Amino acid sequence: ETGVTQTPRHLVMGMTNKKSLKCEQHLGHNAMYWYKQSAKKPLELMFVYSLEERVENNSVPSRFSPECPNSSHLFLHLHTLQPEDSALYLCASSLAWEGASEQYFGPGTRLTVT
Amino acid sequence: AQSVTQLGSHVSVSEGALVLLRCNYSSSVPPYLFWYVQYPNQGLQLLLKYTTGATLVKGINGFEAEFKKSETSFHLTKPSAHMSDAAEYFCAVSGTGNAGKSTFGDGTTLTVKP
């Protein structure tokens, strides 16, 4: 596998379920990101990890819980979600947590909360 | 603080016509500027970026953009549109004072008519 991969690609879950999204990057990057992309809304940065430390948390509800066990893997644990959490969740990575580093995105997980 | 404005949420051109997607930014520090493209059911992919040096930047698929500091603009162009260029395009800005926190525009959907 090359680039940034995300699993699953599609997920349907009830409001009482617990699930996890997985992201893996094969680029040797040191920074990883979670974004939420909703229809008709701007891309929302949720979390940033640099060298496995969380460096950005943009007022995301506690029902979203990130985990970065190493610089290649990033998880987003989901529990008791709301229907408005339905969206495309994108993972990205960059060489460093620096402004000049472009981000490489995975294909996303399409989440539907019923 | 930084922000990005993409003028026109939808742009439609004929195949073979010039593509012009507009992006204006504001930044309190020298900006790094990016254009990304997103095809349906995929993540974002870098088209090109400006960091320093030459203000005319060439990217993939025949796209280019010019950094104009006096106009705070970074418009994306392509001389001749192809059907495969139909996608959503995002302009983004970051800076040394904001580390990895890129601010994305709302996106412009490009339609190419045969």
Side-chain angles (χ1 to χ4, degrees), chain B residues 5-54:
Chain B
T5 301
Q6 290 184 239
L7 298 172
S9 58
H10 291 85
V11 171
S12 181
V13 300
S14 297
E15 191 173 19
L18 171 72
V19 175
L20 171 60
L21 304 182
R22 299 177 188 273
C23 173
N24 287 90
Y25 71 90
S26 71
S27 176
S28 56
V29 298
Y32 301 120
L33 294 157
F34 308 83
W35 274 101
Y36 292 87
V37 61
Q38 186 178 29
Y39 298 102
N41 301 313
Q42 294 187 27
L44 282 68
Q45 176 186 3
L46 180 73
L47 274 177
L48 48 79
K49 72 173 182 179
Y50 169 79
T51 54
T52 59

Side-chain angles (χ1 to χ4, degrees), chain A residues 21-36:
Chain A
L21 309 184
K22 179 182 176 181
C23 175
E24 185 172 1
Q25 59 96 0
H26 309 266
L27 300 167
H29 288 170
N30 293 311
M32 296 188 77
Y33 311 75
W34 278 117
Y35 288 89
K36 177 183 179 182

Side-chain angles (χ1 to χ4, degrees), chain A residues 77-88:
Chain A
H77 303 300
L78 316 171
H79 65 97
T80 58
L81 294 191
Q82 303 299 310
E84 60 264 29
D85 297 323
S86 297
L88 182 68

Side-chain angles (χ1 to χ4, degrees), chain A residues 30-59:
Chain A
N30 293 311
M32 296 188 77
Y33 311 75
W34 278 117
Y35 288 89
K36 177 183 179 182
Q37 187 177 37
S38 305
K40 303 188 189 303
K41 286 188 177 180
L43 203 60
E44 298 175 45
L45 177 64
M46 300 175 73
F47 303 103
V48 181
Y49 278 82
S50 176
L51 297 172
E52 300 152 43
E53 275 194 47
R54 192 189 311 178
V55 295
E56 187 87 15
N57 180 347
N58 277 350
S59 303

Side-chain angles (χ1 to χ4, degrees), chain A residues 11-29:
Chain A
L11 178 63
V12 179
M13 59 186 288
M15 291 193 287
T16 58
N17 291 159
K18 289 185 180 181
K19 295 286 184 183
S20 296
L21 309 184
K22 179 182 176 181
C23 175
E24 185 172 1
Q25 59 96 0
H26 309 266
L27 300 167
H29 288 170

Side-chain angles (χ1 to χ4, degrees), chain B residues 46-113:
Chain B
L46 180 73
L47 274 177
L48 48 79
K49 72 173 182 179
Y50 169 79
T51 54
T52 59
T55 56
L56 182 62
V57 180
K58 294 186 185 299
I60 62 171
N61 302 338
F63 284 93
E64 62 182 36
E66 186 170 11
F67 170 59
K68 292 188 176 181
K69 183 178 178 180
S70 61
E71 299 177 11
T72 60
S73 70
F74 190 58
H75 301 331
L76 181 71
T77 60
K78 182 174 180 177
S80 177
H82 192 271
M83 297 297 290
S84 60
D85 294 326
E88 190 159 20
Y89 292 80
F90 293 90
C91 181
V93 63
S94 65
T96 53
N98 293 287
K101 188 174 181 177
S102 291
T103 298
F104 287 80
D106 291 351
T108 297
T109 300
L110 175 66
T111 302
V112 182
K113 298 175 292 185

